[in-house]
Amino acid sequence: MTSKKTINFFYDVVSPYSWLAFEVMCRYRNVWDVEVKLRPAFLGGIMQKSGNKPPGLVPNKFLYMTKDLQRLAQYVDVPLSPPDDPFEAMFQKGSLAAMRFVTAVQEREKDGDRQVEQVSRELWRRIWSENKDITEPASLSEAAKKAGLSDSEIKEVLELCTTQHIKDKLINTTQEALDVGAFGLPMFMYRVNGNAEIFFGSDRFELMAHCIGEKWLGPQPHKSTSKM
């Protein structure tokens, strides 16, 4: 009997492609024989340290990405709609506070990652569906409230996310992604005989399924199986 493969999913809520990949990966948790570990990381740090250039800063790539996200949102069934000023949201405001907040949620959640999943989703909704802020404490609190956290839990997370421990944890996760070859997000990683296998982007599920011996049923697997 073989043990489950563990897939580490590195993501940042500032990345719309990470949201698409996140929702698909969550849907496959109960379809593939795998364990999924959510790994909140900081995309800004990865881009800087890897020497990569954001696609939004290349005019033709930005135009393509805008159309690409519209098509993918419909294909994956995610209510994605770009903010009014993507440049401000992604590059001026950024996601450092948000990812420290998600890291703090993960730090205090001892049984599973339901809260991490829900808070991450609500932050994506704010920036990539509702054109709302994800940098201010009030914004983070509102997302956590919608995710089901109590007022006392939110207060604890807000205090925790300013500590050096949480700052270091996010730095370390980001560095771990860089160490195995990250140059952007989203990124999936699992190990074979101790060696890291990585897949970048939201469109590598079919290839990843082939490599781990699972079946790809499209971005909405439950719809696919209901038609069989």
Side-chain angles (χ1 to χ4, degrees):
M1 184 175 180
T2 58
S3 58
K4 285 186 177 183
K5 275 191 171 60
T6 298
I7 297 177
N8 290 268
F9 176 62
F10 295 89
Y11 68 94
D12 186 323
V13 297
V14 81
S15 160
Y17 289 100
S18 285
W19 189 12
L20 298 167
F22 171 87
E23 296 296 355
V24 175
M25 190 74 266
C26 286
R27 293 167 190 169
Y28 271 86
R29 277 181 147 173
N30 296 319
V31 177
W32 290 349
D33 187 27
V34 297
E35 178 186 357
V36 178
K37 285 190 175 181
L38 300 179
R39 307 296 305 280
F42 181 46
L43 179 57
I46 288 175
M47 299 298 284
Q48 182 181 26
K49 289 194 174 183
S50 67
N52 198 0
K53 187 175 184 179
L57 298 182
V58 180
N60 281 357
K61 281 187 179 180
F62 179 77
L63 291 172
Y64 174 79
M65 188 173 73
T66 303
K67 182 64 175 179
D68 190 45
L69 287 171
Q70 291 175 354
R71 292 183 295 212
L72 283 168
Q74 184 177 17
Y75 176 59
V76 178
D77 191 22
V78 171
L80 194 154
S81 178
D84 290 345
D85 189 340
F87 185 86
E88 178 189 41
M90 296 180 72
F91 305 118
Q92 292 181 354
K93 289 187 173 181
S95 59
L96 184 57
M99 296 317 294
R100 284 174 176 169
F101 189 81
V102 175
T103 301
V105 171
Q106 187 174 61
E107 176 72 10
R108 64 172 301 282
E109 187 174 21
K110 304 304 180 186
D111 185 20
D113 59 10
R114 182 187 62 82
Q115 289 186 340
V116 177
E117 178 182 334
Q118 295 293 350
V119 169
S120 298
R121 182 174 289 117
E122 290 302 330
L123 288 169
W124 266 306
R125 285 186 188 277
R126 287 185 68 84
I127 184 174
W128 284 105
S129 189
E130 300 169 354
N131 190 37
K132 293 180 179 178
D133 174 73
I134 61 165
T135 63
E136 299 296 331
S139 303
L140 300 172
S141 297
E142 186 177 333
K145 189 91 170 174
K146 285 189 175 182
L149 274 69
S150 67
D151 289 342
S152 62
E153 287 176 321
I154 293 170
K155 182 176 183 292
E156 183 182 344
V157 173
L158 284 171
E159 292 173 352
L160 189 59
C161 71
T162 63
T163 64
Q164 192 60 48
H165 173 69
I166 291 302
K167 293 176 182 179
D168 288 344
K169 184 173 181 179
L170 180 60
I171 289 171
N172 292 338
T173 302
T174 303
Q175 187 60 52
E176 183 180 339
L178 283 161
D179 288 344
V180 296
F183 53 87
L185 295 175
M187 187 186 78
F188 305 86
M189 186 272 286
Y190 65 87
R191 293 190 179 275
V192 177
N193 299 323
N195 299 315
E197 294 285 341
I198 66 171
F199 298 83
F200 168 73
S202 63
D203 58 353
R204 289 295 183 267
F205 283 98
E206 187 170 5
L207 177 60
M208 185 163 61
H210 169 75
C211 292
I212 65 175
E214 295 287 349
K215 184 177 288 188
W216 170 242
L217 301 170
Q220 302 178 60
H222 298 296
K223 281 191 176 181
S224 298
T225 54
S226 67
K227 293 178 181 178
M228 296 174 70

